[in-house]
Amino acid sequence: MERKERTRRAILDAALSLGEESSLGAVSLRQVAKEVGIVPTAFYRHFDSIEALGMALVDESFVSLRAMLRDVRQADPTYGDIVDGSVAILAQHVHDQRAHFLFIARERVAGPTLVRERIRHEIELAERELATDLALMPGVEVWTAEDLQIVSNLIVNAMVSTAEAILNARSPDAEAEIQHRSRTQLRMLLVGALNWRSDKAGRSPEGS
Amino acid sequence: MERKERTRRAILDAALSLGEESSLGAVSLRQVAKEVGIVPTAFYRHFDSIEALGMALVDESFVSLRAMLRDVRQADPTYGDIVDGSVAILAQHVHDQRAHFLFIARERVAGPTLVRERIRHEIELAERELATDLALMPGVEVWTAEDLQIVSNLIVNAMVSTAEAILNARSPDAEAEIQHRSRTQLRMLLVGALNWRSDKAGRSPEGS
DNA sequence: CAGTTGGGTGAACAGACGTACACCGAAAAG
DNA sequence: CTTTTCGGTGTACGTCTGTTCACCCAACTG
């Protein structure tokens, strides 16, 4: 009974591995079977179709994504800057679960419509969560709900870009530079957001 | 002799059309031929392979991309805010050359390695151009060359995200909201960048 | 120990794929 | 008007695709 689970994992891993080169839509059932070391028909003992496999990969990729978000949210606040910690955690998770993040990055724009929509929806959820977290920060009381959402979207997009850049980094040095850049960008972004409405409302952040 | 050019265009258009649904790597020579209305073997009169077709599409897609950048750079400065104008021009071009921008967005992450690298290189060029333009703005003299590059990267990434969002917009209203969001984000971003080094150097933008 | 379940097998299919080849017929060149 | 060029055609091949079916045998159930 655990043999089934083992083969299932092997299929998922093979699909992720093959998906590193091309998009999942270009991966065939027979390629996966050959990679796993089973006959093509045995594939159906585990998934109804390649599409179903894709959905399962979406599921487990988002487990990794949400694990990262959880780590970021409950990072030790004593570890200095939130920005430094968040970028480090992002990089760590992207590195550890490279296949999952690569999968999300690819299928987000190139996957079947259904998969694309699920990924976008999930990212939108992360945006909302970030918005509620941001609302607790000091100095943001002057923001409207709309501004809060817009800032969250901006930050999430920046983090997505950073994750993609890390996935594409060709050397540890290059990745270190990407992380440095990302940290600077997040700080710039926070400076801009914190000076945003206060700018429009009277230049004084302390004004009631 | 212009018949050849006409068929070639038909092939390019067919490939762009088929690429709207799935990634180019998942498009077959025979699908393209059927869409054009020619027999599969006639394809070879125009391209050596599907990969060569992809390269040609990269070429002409970047013509559209560069046309947009040119429009943005020489936008009428009397038209009020640079931000408003830039976002409007971006939206206009994405709308007019939807297939080209969709192609770039998709193949940027899902295409064959060679295509991906070309696209990333081209976007990096746009980043550098933006950096040289930004250097001429008043108030940025305090930035280091590195900061300039980092800010450019941040802005370009935001614009790429905006373009992708517009491509995915499901209604004109949704697109209008995306444009509004993008404008706000660009302004926040500029506020942050302009308060950046001055923040670190003594809080006074006018300080020598 | 006998019986049942179920993951894995192997052959077989119809269709789509890329590509090679000989050929045709309209348009350009002489 | 004749000749050459060349984009498009039709046939044919070997390979790969998804999917079906009957079958086998290891592992759980009784």
Side-chain angles (χ1 to χ4, degrees), chain A residues 133-148:
Chain A
D133 284 359
L134 283 180
L136 303 176
M137 280 177 51
V140 304
E141 302 84 3
V142 291
W143 291 353
T144 66
E146 190 196 17
D147 284 348
L148 203 58

Side-chain angles (χ1 to χ4, degrees), chain A residues 73-84:
Chain A
R73 208 169 312 111
Q74 57 186 223
D76 189 355
T78 67
Y79 171 56
D81 201 331
I82 298 177
V83 167
D84 288 1

Side-chain angles (χ1 to χ4, degrees), chain B residues 7 39 45-46:
Chain B
T7 307
V39 85
R45 302 286 184 197
H46 304 274

